[in-house]
Amino acid sequence: MAMELKATKNFTVRFNETDSMGIVWHGSYVTYFEDAREAFGMKYGFDYLTIVNQGFYVPIVDMHIEYKSMMRYGDEGRIVITFKNCDSAKIIYEYEIFNRKTGKLVAKGSTLQVFVDMNYELVISSPDFFIDWKIKNGIKNQ
């Protein structure tokens, strides 16, 4: 089967990402996922501006997060994002966040994005540029 596309981003927990208990607030993980998608896009030439310039938006329609352990202000994390290939006109990413000091899994999750055109209409077939991108990155045969 085709290779997996992955990217990694390191981060340090900032004070504004924590809650009153001093641990990372659950909503901050959404931002960590976003940071990972941006890192992935830059690494593989699949960033948001590239997609918009092709005439599409890719809103998130589903997100799932499982919290496994906690992180605190100042902790250093590593997020690994993996593109999950499928034949549909959608983008699926899986995420794993680790504490870099302990190596412990902190959270994992996934997001699902769909293509919509500039009129916000759902696109059912994969756009040509998306198919070409998959071929270029070895995750789809020509």
Side-chain angles (χ1 to χ4, degrees):
M1 187 68 192
M3 63 182 227
E4 270 191 336
L5 300 182
K6 291 181 179 247
T8 301
K9 179 164 179 65
N10 293 329
F11 64 94
T12 302
V13 175
R14 299 177 303 169
F15 177 77
N16 69 330
E17 296 167 342
T18 63
D19 63 15
S20 61
M21 295 182 290
I23 61 173
V24 173
W25 176 63
H26 66 277
S28 294
Y29 291 90
V30 174
T31 301
Y32 299 152
F33 285 9
E34 179 71 28
D35 291 343
R37 285 191 302 279
E38 286 187 356
F40 182 93
M42 297 305 287
K43 180 176 180 179
Y44 292 104
F46 195 56
D47 57 284
Y48 290 123
L49 288 179
T50 298
I51 295 168
V52 168
N53 289 336
Q54 292 293 324
F56 301 93
Y57 299 117
V58 285
I60 292 175
V61 296
D62 187 57
M63 179 179 294
H64 179 75
I65 305 172
E66 294 179 38
Y67 304 97
K68 301 295 187 180
S69 62
M70 66 180 171
M71 292 181 70
R72 297 184 178 280
Y73 170 63
D75 283 351
E76 295 183 357
R78 180 180 84 250
I79 185 164
V80 179
I81 180 173
T82 304
F83 177 83
K84 302 307 285 184
N85 192 29
C86 68
D87 291 331
S88 302
K90 58 186 172 182
I91 302 166
I92 302 169
Y93 291 114
E94 291 182 349
Y95 309 84
E96 292 179 308
I97 298 176
F98 298 92
N99 182 308
R100 287 176 31 211
K101 183 177 180 182
T102 66
K104 193 171 189 175
L105 178 65
V106 175
K108 67 181 189 172
S110 62
T111 54
L112 169 63
Q113 295 168 263
V114 297
F115 288 92
V116 297
D117 63 22
M118 292 293 153
N119 294 315
Y120 306 103
E121 296 293 326
L122 181 65
V123 175
I124 302 300
S125 298
S126 290
D128 289 342
F129 89 95
F130 186 47
I131 295 168
D132 293 344
W133 175 82
K134 287 181 174 187
I135 293 168
K136 175 185 171 190
N137 284 284
I139 55 176
K140 181 172 178 57
N141 296 326
Q142 288 185 333

